[in-house]
Amino acid sequence: MSECDLVIIGAGPAGMAAAQTAAQGGLSVVVLDEQPRAGGQIYRNVGENRSKHAWLGKDYSAGAHMVDGLDHPKITTHFGATVWRLEQGHRVVWSQNGISHITSTPHVFLAGGAQERPLPFPGWTLPGVMPAGAAQILMKTAGMLPKDAVLAGSGPLLYLIAAQMIDAGTPPKALVETQTPRMMLNAIPHLPRAVFGLSIMIKGLGLIRKIQRAGVPRYKSASGFNAAANTDGSIAFSFTHKGRNKTLNTDLVLTHQGVIPSTHISRSTGVTHRWNAAQVAFEPTTDIWGETNVSGLHVAGDGAGIGGAQAAAAAGQLAALNILHKHGRLSADARTQKATSARATLFRARAIRPFLDAAYAPPAEVLSPPDETIVCRCEEKTAGEIRQGIDEGVTGHRQIKTSLRTGMGPCQGRMCDATVRGILIASAGPNADPIAPPRARTPIKPVTLGELAAMAAGPDQSS
Amino acid sequence: MNIASRFNVLPDDRQTVQFTLDGEIVTAKQGISLAAALLAQSGTASRQTVNGAGRTAFCMMGVCFDCMVNVDGVPNTQACMVTVRDGMRVTRQIGLRPLEGSNDV
């Protein structure tokens, strides 16, 4: 058992910014992250890459200074550390190299970020289909570039990855986009507010221009995705475009339909969650400082609602200032004064979100896919089986889980919860009661009995 | 079906390590994840589900558990959360996953 003033879970922009602010304010900080190095997904491996891969762009390499900021005498980092239990009060239980540790602390800051929204369709489990964000992780961590890939789905990240692939000299074979003119129409009322985030808008338009100039074919308003394996291991990717069925043969289909908050830890600790209809996802309920209904527990960054890297860094700073205030190291006035620039950044970064949420909304068939689609990848359960269960009277996440085993595999519902919910909503109709989020229970990541047994006994030597 | 890698690996000056995949020697860049090394090696499945469906690493961030392989005798190891090491013995997981030390496949 070790102790510190603040445990931060996640070393992405929110976690790194909070660690720096808290440590500069005099707190002893422990940062835990599952990945081997700091940066989160957005700045993954940036400490190693610096500006090595110019095609990843300036916004990426700018993350290096945040990684450097963790080098502070008051900050202890543990990488390859999986948090699997959070006890109120607070004891953080985490596992590293097969040994479990407990860190006790008055304050916990959850900065776990987001995961890509599952984009299920018949064939999405085949080798050769993966999320575009996963391919980007390979680009950042291993210098691996997708060969002649088809990018399918929608969202700013899809355009960013396409542009990075173009700059790296391996442009995508095609973009197959789910965005419809109606989505763009729905987004227009949010344009005036988006002007506050003009720099992000301009960057986005630049990415789209780059894709056009590179001559990458774009199939817009596409639907009915389907992947089948050819005998040579390549993928026959079919979709409906302008009323016709179109098939592209490719080695790699990279899908993306936005990101959703990772809420397993926050749900397991009793934090109140709310449904964000615009982002079509659950998020923890917090105040401006990231404080939750659980004493001593803050959540901010993409894990508290999708806002992007700039918003996450600002929100992390705000959470740290509030924690400094609660530790008695900052008066309320000083806290508010120091928060001015972070709050302005947060406002600007969030201003563009309603526009993006509407413009790149997930289509109905992503939320509630056709019957033959595998929804739960772990337990190989299809949308049809889930619908049959609902027809037989099963309601809510828990009953579906207990009757069908969806969400009972090792990923614990991370890959199917969103889709199960989509199917439930589509089946229940518009006047149904709201569906509660699924329960998340300890251990929130699978641990072996060996890891439980190897709980570091006595005074922990690890920190 | 034996598809080559679906990715181009950029040449760089990183050292390499060698590990075995089902007994076959694989060379990989030092510091990358085992899942990346497997995807750089081949486009074929690194795991088979209980129903016999092939899977490869999917999310690359520890969320989905599709990249599970046996590493040095430990089953269900997430390849995306492990850095490649010289001399690693990796085997693909086919079908029902045995508990450590048992053979009840």
Side-chain angles (χ1 to χ4, degrees):
Chain A
M1 174 90 92
S2 60
E3 289 185 11
C4 66
D5 295 329
L6 167 65
V7 170
I8 297 175
I9 300 169
M16 292 191 292
Q20 207 173 352
T21 302
Q24 283 166 354
L27 300 184
S28 61
V29 183
V30 169
V31 180
L32 304 171
D33 194 290
E34 240 182 341
Q35 298 302 335
R37 287 176 278 277
Q41 303 307 336
I42 186 98
Y43 300 128
R44 187 110 174 229
N45 216 35
V46 74
E48 301 286 304
N49 288 336
R50 302 284 154 177
S51 45
K52 190 168 72 176
H53 298 308
W55 39 265
L56 285 170
K58 285 192 177 65
D59 285 351
Y60 169 77
S61 48
H65 80 274
M66 295 189 79
V67 173
D68 296 339
L70 292 177
D71 187 11
H72 187 285
K74 300 288 279 184
I75 300 175
T76 309
T77 53
H78 297 287
F79 294 106
T82 300
V83 174
W84 55 265
R85 181 176 169 85
L86 186 50
E87 296 170 10
Q88 291 194 14
H90 285 279
R91 295 194 336 156
V92 184
V93 188
W94 50 282
S95 166
Q96 187 185 42
N97 301 325
I99 296 177
S100 292
H101 305 265
I102 299 177
T103 306
S104 93
T105 177
H107 289 281
V108 172
F109 174 43
L110 285 183
Q115 63 163 82
E116 284 182 89
R117 176 187 295 283
L119 203 171
F121 54 86
W124 75 303
T125 55
L126 289 168
V129 181
M130 73 195 298
Q136 195 194 35
I137 290 169
L138 288 164
M139 291 159 79
K140 289 170 180 173
T141 60
M144 288 164 64
L145 297 169
K147 262 194 239 176
D148 207 28
V150 171
L151 295 181
S154 86
L157 187 66
L158 200 72
Y159 297 132
L160 174 64
I161 292 169
Q164 287 171 335
M165 286 165 66
I166 290 164
D167 285 344
T170 52
K173 183 182 189 120
L175 256 65
V176 180
E177 302 177 39
T178 52
Q179 191 190 51
T180 59
R182 169 167 290 281
M183 290 176 196
M184 255 329 200
L185 278 177
N186 292 344
I188 284 168
H190 302 292
L191 263 177
R193 186 157 178 233
V195 167
F196 290 108
L198 199 59
S199 62
I200 303 174
M201 292 282 275
I202 290 167
K203 183 186 173 180
L205 291 169
L207 297 175
I208 293 167
R209 245 200 330 272
K210 181 171 288 192
I211 294 162
Q212 309 269 46
R213 271 209 304 267
V216 178
R218 292 175 68 192
Y219 300 92
K220 297 182 190 174
S221 304
S223 63
F225 289 1
N226 185 299
N230 295 320
T231 47
D232 64 355
S234 65
I235 299 283
F237 182 64
S238 320
F239 52 93
T240 303
H241 178 251
K242 292 186 174 167
R244 291 213 189 112
N245 195 293
K246 169 100 191 151
T247 301
L248 298 171
N249 283 299
T250 175
D251 278 355
L252 195 55
V253 177
L254 301 176
T255 65
H256 179 76
Q257 189 66 63
V259 296
I260 54 176
S262 299
T263 56
H264 265 66
I265 303 184
S266 51
R267 278 185 287 126
S268 77
T269 52
V271 170
T272 310
H273 285 68
R274 64 176 171 220
W275 179 249
N276 181 328
Q279 298 197 338
V280 200
F282 276 110
E283 59 187 38
T285 311
T286 70
D287 68 6
I288 174 73
W289 305 102
E291 198 168 354
T292 68
N293 59 307
V294 175
S295 169
L297 184 64
H298 287 67
V299 190
D302 273 0
I306 305 305
Q310 288 176 351
Q317 211 181 337
L318 294 178
L321 289 171
N322 197 46
I323 291 163
L324 283 166
H325 168 59
K326 299 205 166 272
H327 261 285
R329 289 173 184 264
L330 273 185
S331 68
D333 284 353
R335 172 195 62 175
T336 306
Q337 203 180 355
K338 281 178 183 286
T340 314
S341 100
R343 284 181 91 155
T345 304
L346 191 59
F347 172 77
R348 275 196 308 273
R350 279 187 181 162
I352 193 173
R353 276 297 138 183
F355 172 79
L356 294 176
D357 294 339
Y360 303 108
E365 65 178 21
V366 168
L367 301 172
S368 181
D371 278 351
E372 64 272 30
T373 313
I374 287 180
V375 169
C376 171
R377 297 173 65 95
C378 298
E379 298 292 331
E380 300 175 275
K381 293 292 166 196
T382 63
E385 288 171 291
I386 294 167
R387 289 192 183 104
Q388 189 188 341
I390 294 169
D391 288 345
E392 290 166 2
V394 174
T395 59
H397 279 278
R398 193 190 340 210
Q399 286 186 14
I400 287 184
K401 189 173 184 173
T402 48
S403 59
L404 287 170
R405 302 202 318 273
T406 53
M408 287 178 93
C411 93
Q412 303 182 337
R414 287 170 174 86
M415 299 309 294
C416 69
D417 279 347
T419 317
V420 167
R421 183 186 172 81
I423 294 170
L424 279 166
I425 289 175
S427 306
N431 301 321
D433 291 339
I435 296 156
R439 274 289 183 83
R441 294 185 190 280
T442 296
I444 43 176
K445 276 279 172 86
V447 280
T448 61
L449 291 173
E451 277 167 300
L452 283 170
M455 189 77 78
D460 196 314
Q461 302 304 312
S462 67
S463 48
Chain B
M1 177 173 91
N2 200 353
I3 186 170
S5 177
R6 303 170 197 267
F7 294 86
N8 288 322
V9 183
L10 285 174
D12 65 22
D13 51 7
R14 275 192 280 192
Q15 301 279 310
T16 56
V17 298
Q18 287 196 324
F19 65 94
T20 59
L21 173 63
D22 290 334
E24 165 198 2
I25 294 174
V26 178
T27 304
K29 297 251 194 273
Q30 197 171 39
I32 70 172
S33 72
L34 174 58
L38 295 176
L39 290 170
Q41 172 71 11
S42 131
T44 52
S46 51
R47 173 173 93 84
Q48 246 183 29
T49 66
V50 176
N51 293 341
R55 299 278 176 92
T56 44
F58 187 71
C59 78
M60 297 306 299
M61 55 183 279
V63 169
C64 78
F65 291 78
D66 258 328
C67 65
M68 293 189 296
V69 287
N70 185 304
V71 177
D72 295 331
V74 181
N76 305 327
T77 303
Q78 285 181 284
C80 76
M81 304 301 278
V82 176
T83 304
V84 282
R85 291 186 309 271
D86 245 328
M88 249 181 181
R89 284 172 301 113
V90 182
T91 50
R92 293 183 173 97
Q93 290 193 167
I94 306 301
L96 198 62
R97 296 178 285 280
L99 287 167
E100 200 173 346
S102 79
N103 300 312
D104 57 346
V105 178

